[in-house]
Amino acid sequence: MNCTPRQLRSRIGPRPGARPGFTIIELVVASGIIALLMVAVGGSVIVAAKATPMAGSSESLYNQGVAAVQEMSREVSQAITISEASAAKLAFTVPDRTGDGVAESITYALTNDNRVTRNINSAGEVEIAARVKGLNFGYVTGLRTQTTTTAAVEGAEQVLFSGTDTTGAEIAFDSNSVAIQSIRPILTPEATSWRITKALMLLKSDGLATGSVRLNVYRTDSTNTPVGSSLAMAAQSELLIGSSYNWRTFSFGSMTLAPTDGAAIVATHGSVTITPSGGSVLINTGGSGSGGRGIHLSNVIADRGKSLSISLNGTSWTDYVDNSLALEVYGRITSTSTSTTTIQTIDAVDIQLLVAGSKSIRTIAVVGPRPAYSTSPPPPPPNLIEDIIGGVGGIIGGLLGGGLISP
């Protein structure tokens, strides 16, 4: 059978090692698709390039100014102290950020070459906005009270207990006698401690001088019962006590009583030992001789007295609810002191920034800690309406001066 070469090739298939190819039509179609894709990608690149402001352009400067104002607003709102508050400079501190326990100091300022800089902890100025035509800080101020507490200081000697009335009865007082006068002075809330410095007691001699009259100071509990050991002791020789009543002074050494403590003046004719025992008090007195001493009661209840108990034999006690010893007690109170003052504060900062070729950027940062300022009053925020009127007036004045319009 006769056949053409083409028919013969179709019968026997492609030659060994031969590769299939593209037709002219396929190549044309593929080239067209690639060209369309290249045009689309190129257009996207051009659009993106046009959307990104060039360095130094008005758009770039504006974006930089917005970022600078936002940064200033964020940091100023955390200010805990403000050391300088002027129209073109603001220096303040914010809470510790580095973990060293020291507040960070920050300064924003407009330089002579029209840049806004930021300086942290005096490490050097860093530019945050360039080609600035104007920077203005305005301040909203207010008032708040501040309470200051000073260290505890011991005050002057004062009367802590007064039983100076002398119209009461006389009670014999010898070596077997014990009198306990408890006191609890009224202290202010600022008191941190108190102490007894001296006591004046009305005494007279009823017999031979055989020893001394002793006053011991004990701490008392909430029931006015003496507890613990003696805090201080003072004595008067019986030789110094006359046959008629007179006030004798007993001076005590150092002691410290808490604001919640009461105290007991324990009077004896000799040595005394007080032993707390299951809520009761055992008192053993010492001394010899039969010489007695008279102690005097006050018919008027002491203004700061709590109770008086007297034992004439060391075992049985008489409570004098409506009387006190003829006794005056002096002491000193240690207290802190507080003072309240009204201080001026910066409550908000009005930040305005004008960069070259762009409109003004403005925000108001509310300062949460409301720091005080002690220097001259900072400039207030500008009035927007006055700014607009002033700007319009300036434009009209310029036109009139240039002869462009007639008045």
Side-chain angles (χ1 to χ4, degrees):
M1 179 183 294
N2 295 328
C3 60
T4 64
R6 184 174 183 179
Q7 291 174 335
L8 181 61
R9 286 196 299 271
S10 64
R11 289 175 179 269
I12 64 177
R15 289 177 304 165
R19 294 187 302 174
F22 295 102
T23 64
I24 296 298
I25 296 175
E26 289 174 335
L27 290 174
V28 170
V29 172
S31 298
I33 294 173
I34 292 174
L36 290 174
L37 291 175
M38 292 297 292
V39 170
V41 171
S44 300
V45 172
I46 293 173
V47 171
K50 290 182 177 180
T52 303
M54 296 180 61
S57 67
S58 59
E59 293 84 1
S60 176
L61 294 174
Y62 177 78
N63 291 339
Q64 186 185 53
V66 169
V69 169
Q70 290 176 344
E71 180 182 27
M72 287 188 281
S73 175
R74 177 179 58 83
E75 292 193 320
V76 170
S77 66
Q78 303 172 22
I80 53 178
T81 64
I82 292 182
S83 57
E84 184 171 351
S86 63
K89 186 176 182 180
L90 178 58
F92 57 96
T93 62
V94 295
D96 173 39
R97 297 175 178 176
T98 59
D100 60 359
V102 179
E104 317 299 336
S105 62
I106 301 174
T107 301
Y108 286 106
L110 178 64
T111 64
N112 294 330
D113 55 353
N114 300 323
R115 296 179 303 119
V116 176
T117 59
R118 178 176 183 258
N119 192 338
I120 301 180
N121 296 329
S122 302
E125 297 179 344
V126 177
E127 178 185 296
I128 61 172
R131 295 175 60 185
V132 174
K133 297 182 66 176
L135 173 65
N136 183 79
F137 294 112
Y139 304 90
V140 178
T141 60
L143 298 173
R144 64 179 167 89
T145 57
Q146 178 175 272
T147 301
T148 302
T149 301
T150 62
V153 176
E154 186 176 72
E157 188 176 59
Q158 59 180 290
V159 175
L160 302 179
F161 172 90
S162 180
T164 55
D165 174 77
T166 59
T167 60
E170 177 182 327
I171 295 180
F173 197 72
D174 60 19
S175 58
N176 293 317
S177 305
V178 179
I180 300 177
Q181 176 68 66
S182 65
I183 69 172
R184 191 172 293 271
I186 300 173
L187 305 179
T188 64
E190 293 77 24
T192 59
S193 65
W194 65 287
R195 66 187 179 97
I196 295 174
T197 55
K198 67 182 179 182
L200 276 64
M201 189 173 181
L202 195 62
L203 294 170
K204 78 169 184 175
S205 175
D206 283 342
L208 297 175
T210 59
S212 61
V213 175
R214 302 185 184 188
L215 298 187
N216 280 268
V217 179
Y218 284 82
R219 181 179 286 107
T220 61
D221 59 19
S222 59
T223 65
N224 300 314
T225 302
V227 294
S229 57
S230 174
L231 301 177
M233 189 275 291
Q236 282 279 350
S237 171
E238 296 179 356
L239 294 173
L240 301 177
I241 302 174
S243 59
S244 60
Y245 276 108
N246 57 90
W247 291 94
R248 307 305 304 175
T249 300
F250 297 77
S251 298
F252 300 103
S254 177
M255 69 182 76
T256 301
L257 292 158
T260 55
D261 287 336
I265 304 294
V266 179
T268 63
H269 190 258
S271 61
V272 60
T273 301
I274 296 182
T275 306
S277 176
S280 62
V281 176
L282 305 178
I283 299 181
N284 299 318
T285 63
S288 61
S290 60
R293 297 295 170 264
I295 62 174
H296 209 289
L297 296 182
S298 171
N299 281 332
V300 179
I301 300 175
D303 56 352
R304 297 176 189 180
K306 289 298 181 181
S307 64
L308 169 63
S309 295
I310 296 178
S311 173
L312 298 181
N313 54 21
T315 56
S316 60
W317 292 84
T318 301
D319 293 328
Y320 293 82
V321 179
D322 295 330
N323 299 97
S324 71
L325 283 179
L327 183 73
E328 190 165 51
V329 180
Y330 290 78
R332 294 177 180 268
I333 300 172
T334 299
S335 305
T336 59
S337 62
T338 58
S339 59
T340 302
T341 56
T342 299
I343 60 174
Q344 297 174 311
T345 60
I346 292 179
D347 299 344
V349 179
D350 185 333
I351 306 172
Q352 294 184 77
L353 181 65
L354 180 61
V355 296
S358 180
K359 61 183 179 179
S360 175
I361 307 165
R362 184 177 187 180
T363 189
I364 295 180
V366 177
V367 187
R370 299 183 66 199
Y373 68 90
S374 56
T375 57
S376 58
N383 188 300
L384 285 177
I385 297 179
E386 292 180 356
D387 288 350
I388 296 172
I389 296 175
V392 173
I395 295 173
I396 295 175
L399 295 176
L400 288 172
L404 298 179
I405 62 175
S406 300

